[in-house]
Amino acid sequence: MTTRRTRPAPRPPEGTPPPAELARQARVVLADAVRIAHWAADGASPGAAPLATQALERAAAALDATPAQIQAGWDRARLAGLIELHGDTARPGWRLRAWDRDDSAVLRGWVALFDAWSLVHAAPEGIEAAAVAEAVEAVPQVLSLLQLSAGPVTVPALLDLLGQRVAELREERCEVPYGPEQRTEPGPGPAAGQPADLNALLLDWALEGLAAVGALTLGAGQATLTPLGNWAVWVKLEQICVAAQSPAGNIEQAAADMLLGCARLTPGPARAEYRAWLAARTVGSAVAELLAVARGEDALLRGLAFEALRVVGAPAEPVVRSVATEPQLRPYALLWLAEYEGADPDDAQDVLSREEATWLWVDTAAAVADHGETGLLVRHLDSAVQGTVPALLDEVRAIGHPRTVQVLVALAAAHPDPALAKAVRRAAFQVHTGGV
């Protein structure tokens, strides 16, 4: 029993359109990218990114657009996950296949583009990369002000906030200026060492980039979030709130410790904990950390890592697809991809070959042997695809899992049937000695 209070499902701000309308707006923003993605997926050979010159000309002729429009749409299609590049071959992404029927896929694709606004709209030339990075890091504060204002905000107000946030970031990094121009009096204004006209240039770039992805509209000296932008900023603020209210307190733990902390939670609370942990990290670093744990020796953590990756969803798909070539991770990755693409979890096992299913059976048995109860290990026999213990033992001995001997020894010790236990022990000995 637990007395922990669950946080009620948050409601978007009043006036936010329903998901179907938001998805319709996202489809409008990405219409050109979808056209180009369909062109590339219909057998075209676009070449490596950026789009090869000949492919650019073919696409411009086929879609009646300028080369610049084609290149922009191509970049947006890649950033939104509408197409995947495998060498010089373009393949339709899952989102493109689901584009006309799945509003959530459309919204995830648009959010991916929204997150990549600084790649969609190139930064002004001649500005140091560090200054550009500071502006990108400060933009969430600008977006928060726009979202909280629920209407137009003047550019001077946004410029003042940008300058203050950049100054805070420099102070957090202990970048204290020295020399005669050092400021002794705190007050509003541009970051030390960063002139106001540079901040203004960076703010203009950021606002134009966000407008290019459909997150805001620009007027005379002011900016306003679109319904899509307002919704996206609200979602990200909610993620921060969830992270701050991590139910089991694992938010600051490394991935392995977090997963162990979730091992005995039921699925619902475990997913809430995964979401809180993920919200406190960038997607890329979180996915990399989870996969590093999955490559370790603990089979329980391997399975839990892929459960956490299910909560990540679409942003993890390219990386999970790339690790499907690793024997240790392949069964988990194939199941993840099958469920991600809409397969019923009960039917997802069908994507595994018999050898992959057997490897997964041994890996799961290793997790049970290390962390579970003996009775659970005995019951695990029923989940084997072979149907009979002799057939299972034959295939387990051939599969080459590094934990085969330990699993068979643990199973022999746990099983109540002496004859079956003897057969399992014999199989463990044969694997250990390399016999048949």
Side-chain angles (χ1 to χ4, degrees):
M1 298 292 290
T2 178
T3 58
R4 184 188 298 149
R5 292 185 177 181
T6 59
R7 187 169 181 257
R11 295 179 177 273
E14 185 176 354
T16 301
E21 172 58 21
L22 290 172
R24 186 196 66 78
Q25 295 177 16
R27 287 185 175 97
V28 171
V29 172
L30 283 163
D32 289 343
V34 169
R35 289 179 65 216
I36 293 170
H38 279 301
W39 169 83
D42 286 342
S45 298
L51 201 60
T53 303
Q54 291 181 344
L56 191 67
E57 294 172 354
R58 290 199 309 271
L63 300 177
D64 192 24
T66 66
Q69 290 172 330
I70 293 296
Q71 187 63 65
W74 170 257
D75 292 339
R76 289 153 70 93
R78 291 176 56 239
L79 293 170
L82 295 168
I83 51 177
E84 303 168 359
L85 282 184
H86 298 263
D88 288 345
T89 302
R91 189 171 71 183
W94 176 81
R95 286 181 186 145
L96 183 62
R97 296 193 295 272
W99 195 254
D100 294 328
R101 57 179 171 79
D102 189 339
D103 289 345
S104 64
V106 173
L107 290 174
R108 287 196 298 269
W110 181 83
V111 168
L113 182 69
F114 169 69
D115 289 339
W117 67 266
S118 60
L119 302 178
V120 172
H121 188 61
E125 295 182 0
I127 299 180
E128 292 184 0
V132 173
E134 287 173 343
V136 172
E137 195 173 352
V139 160
Q141 290 277 28
V142 173
L143 290 169
S144 295
L145 175 60
L146 285 163
Q147 200 268 342
L148 292 171
S149 298
V153 179
T154 64
V155 169
L158 297 174
L159 181 60
D160 183 60
L161 179 60
L162 179 74
Q164 291 182 43
R165 182 55 182 152
V166 169
E168 290 171 0
L169 292 171
R170 292 188 170 187
E171 185 177 351
E172 290 170 5
R173 291 193 294 268
C174 299
E175 294 184 6
V176 180
Y178 294 93
E181 295 184 2
Q182 180 176 350
R183 294 175 62 170
T184 57
E185 295 293 331
Q194 182 154 307
D197 57 348
L198 177 56
N199 278 344
L201 184 62
L202 288 167
L203 178 64
D204 288 344
W205 165 66
L207 294 179
E208 289 169 2
L210 290 163
V213 299
L216 53 79
T217 57
L218 299 175
Q222 62 185 26
T224 310
L225 284 177
T226 64
L228 271 174
N230 187 66
W231 168 78
V233 175
W234 170 79
V235 167
K236 293 183 180 300
L237 290 173
E238 279 300 312
Q239 289 175 343
I240 294 172
C241 291
V242 169
Q245 300 180 28
S246 170
N250 290 305
I251 186 174
E252 296 181 357
Q253 301 292 329
D257 294 330
M258 180 275 293
L259 292 171
L260 281 176
C262 296
R264 294 193 178 276
L265 296 178
T266 56
R271 283 192 293 271
E273 197 68 9
Y274 299 150
R275 290 189 187 97
W277 186 86
L278 291 164
R281 290 155 178 80
T282 63
V283 172
S285 65
V287 170
E289 193 173 347
L290 289 170
L291 285 176
V293 172
R295 292 187 177 100
E297 297 182 356
D298 193 324
L300 175 66
L301 293 184
R302 187 159 28 255
L304 292 175
F306 275 86
E307 288 299 318
L309 288 169
R310 285 178 172 83
V311 175
V312 178
E317 186 261 348
V319 182
V320 173
R321 195 175 296 280
S322 71
V323 303
T325 58
E326 301 179 28
Q328 188 181 33
L329 303 184
R330 181 172 174 78
Y332 295 95
L334 292 178
L335 290 175
W336 190 99
L337 291 166
E339 294 179 26
Y340 173 74
E341 292 174 355
D344 188 289
D346 293 335
D347 300 328
Q349 293 275 348
D350 295 341
V351 304
L352 301 182
S353 68
R354 193 176 180 92
E355 292 77 12
E356 291 160 353
T358 303
W359 196 100
L360 183 60
W361 185 92
V362 177
D363 208 49
T364 306
V368 175
D370 290 342
H371 300 278
E373 301 173 356
T374 56
L376 184 59
L377 185 59
V378 173
R379 292 194 295 274
H380 184 55
L381 273 173
D382 296 334
S383 66
V385 297
Q386 284 74 13
T388 67
V389 172
L392 171 66
L393 294 178
D394 285 343
E395 295 187 30
V396 162
R397 283 182 297 187
I399 205 66
H401 193 290
R403 295 292 304 279
T404 298
V405 173
Q406 295 95 322
V407 164
L408 293 178
V409 169
L411 180 58
H415 206 285
D417 184 333
L420 190 147
K422 182 179 179 180
V424 173
R425 278 194 299 272
R426 184 185 304 114
F429 178 77
Q430 291 170 341
V431 174
H432 177 64
T433 60
V436 179

